[in-house]
Amino acid sequence: MEPRQIREGYLVKKGTLLNSWKAVWVVLSEDGVEFYKKKTDSSPKGMIPLKGATLISPCQDFGKRMLVFKITTGKKQDHFFQASHVEEREFWVKDMKRAITCLEGGKKFARKSTRRSIRLPDKVNLTELHTLMKDQDDGVKELKLEQENRVFNHCFTGATVVEWLISKEKARNTAEALMLATGLLNEGFLQPAGDLSKEGAESGEQSVFLDQTTALYYFADSGFFCEGYSSDEDVLLKQEFRGNIVKQGCLLKQGHKRKNWKVRKFILRDDPAYVHYYDPTKGDDPLGSIHLRGSVITAVEHVPDAKKYDIDGNLFEIITSDETHYFLQAATTEERKEWIKAIQAVSKSGK
């Protein structure tokens, strides 16, 4: 029997490899949680089995990050999700607990696998391999490498890892070396350092290790750090970014030029009154900000210049004091109400 779909919507998920939090489309079924990079993707980026899993909500592991809950699988792997408001988190947690209880009662499902597995030989011990790679005399050398006006300390290239695995007879050929390196990446022993390697790690249903001299990686427990970032962000943090976070979550936003719709992560701050939006696939640098003081926020049923297949319901509009129009879409009617209420309050009270 195929599992029945219970709930779907946008959540923010902590990466299993990186510490970044990214917006994903999540589908909860009776036997597991699938998450997609985009709502329109045909195959999931990952699947979390619920049999034998446990839930912790609220999860307090991340300080100021609110509305987080944790799923721990039967194999003791942790997955962290963040909802956009309290009610949404409670709905997800309640439905997941119900699904877990049914599985504990012996209910079984049959489903076709939608993701490719990395099949490592039984004799391979990734922990031992990681220890050998870190050997100061005979392991992979950690270097200081420069790329795109940034200096990466204590890192190495993907090509270096592949060459080392073959030269030390840990792999017979490039294909086996890439399989081992991908296993190390999936288990968190290796971390991507530059933009290219990060794109590879997040590109497929399984993390992809790149055999390239421009793809940079580092040992997770090393002294890696990167220099050369602009200090503009520090200036912003002293101004519009200093307000308390009132609400955060994922919404669809219409672009001003192409009028297309993309998932953006929004963070609403109260004093000063700003909502900042981010590309959840590219890190924590904001794409833009909306000054909310004196703004008008209202629900709408129609968006100019929008094709019918682009959007469907749960729309709202922000009109700023300089008459700039922003059109947004929430995943549910309740979520739209929550956002409108929060933004209206901040627009009246914030500076």
Side-chain angles (χ1 to χ4, degrees), residues 113-146:
S113 177
T114 56
R115 63 179 300 184
R116 300 181 298 271
S117 297
I118 299 296
R119 300 294 183 183
L120 295 173
D122 294 336
K123 64 181 179 180
V124 173
N125 186 316
L126 293 179
T127 301
E128 292 181 359
L129 183 59
H130 171 248
T131 301
L132 293 173
M133 291 177 70
K134 290 202 65 179
D135 185 273
Q136 293 186 355
D137 298 322
D138 206 29
V140 175
K141 303 303 180 185
E142 297 177 272
L143 304 171
K144 179 184 288 187
L145 301 174
E146 186 174 349

Side-chain angles (χ1 to χ4, degrees), residues 54-267:
T54 57
L55 278 170
I56 294 180
S57 177
C59 175
Q60 308 290 343
D61 291 6
F62 300 98
K64 294 182 179 180
R65 188 172 286 275
M66 306 294 288
L67 305 174
V68 175
F69 61 94
K70 179 170 70 171
I71 306 173
T72 302
T73 67
K75 294 184 178 180
K76 305 305 179 184
Q77 184 177 12
D78 294 332
H79 297 271
F80 299 92
F81 289 92
Q82 181 182 30
S84 57
H85 54 86
V86 174
E87 290 81 1
E88 183 183 48
R89 181 187 64 186
E90 298 309 311
F91 287 144
W92 279 98
V93 170
K94 181 180 178 181
D95 288 342
M96 288 181 184
K97 285 183 176 179
R98 186 178 300 163
I100 292 171
T101 300
C102 289
L103 292 170
E104 289 175 348
K107 195 170 183 178
K108 296 182 179 180
F109 302 94
R111 67 157 66 207
K112 296 179 180 179
S113 177
T114 56
R115 63 179 300 184
R116 300 181 298 271
S117 297
I118 299 296
R119 300 294 183 183
L120 295 173
D122 294 336
K123 64 181 179 180
V124 173
N125 186 316
L126 293 179
T127 301
E128 292 181 359
L129 183 59
H130 171 248
T131 301
L132 293 173
M133 291 177 70
K134 290 202 65 179
D135 185 273
Q136 293 186 355
D137 298 322
D138 206 29
V140 175
K141 303 303 180 185
E142 297 177 272
L143 304 171
K144 179 184 288 187
L145 301 174
E146 186 174 349
Q147 190 178 94
E148 298 179 351
N149 298 321
R150 289 180 289 174
V151 178
F152 297 85
N153 298 269
H154 299 283
C155 70
F156 38 83
T157 70
T160 299
V161 173
V162 171
E163 182 181 348
W164 184 89
L165 289 168
I166 296 174
S167 66
K168 300 302 179 183
E169 299 183 348
K170 303 302 177 184
R172 292 175 296 179
N173 49 47
T174 300
E176 284 192 2
L178 284 171
M179 181 175 64
L180 288 172
T182 300
L184 289 164
L185 191 62
N186 282 336
E187 293 301 320
F189 292 110
L190 300 182
Q191 299 283 342
D195 293 338
L196 181 62
S197 58
K198 289 180 181 179
E199 289 176 5
E202 298 291 341
S203 63
E205 296 160 0
Q206 281 279 4
S207 300
V208 178
F209 188 91
L210 303 178
D211 178 19
Q212 298 181 28
T213 57
T214 52
L216 306 182
Y217 299 88
Y218 64 96
F219 294 120
D221 52 355
S222 73
F224 169 80
F225 66 97
C226 180
E227 302 171 286
Y229 287 106
S230 170
S231 60
D232 292 345
E233 184 176 349
D234 295 333
V235 176
L236 287 171
L237 284 170
K238 296 177 182 178
Q239 301 174 18
E240 63 193 58
F241 280 73
R242 71 174 183 266
N244 296 319
I245 294 177
V246 175
K247 185 176 180 61
Q248 55 183 320
C250 295
L251 299 165
L252 277 175
K253 176 184 176 295
Q254 186 189 49
H256 280 90
K257 294 182 179 179
R258 298 182 181 180
K259 305 300 180 182
N260 55 350
W261 293 78
K262 292 186 177 181
V263 178
R264 294 290 180 246
K265 177 183 177 181
F266 285 80
I267 296 181

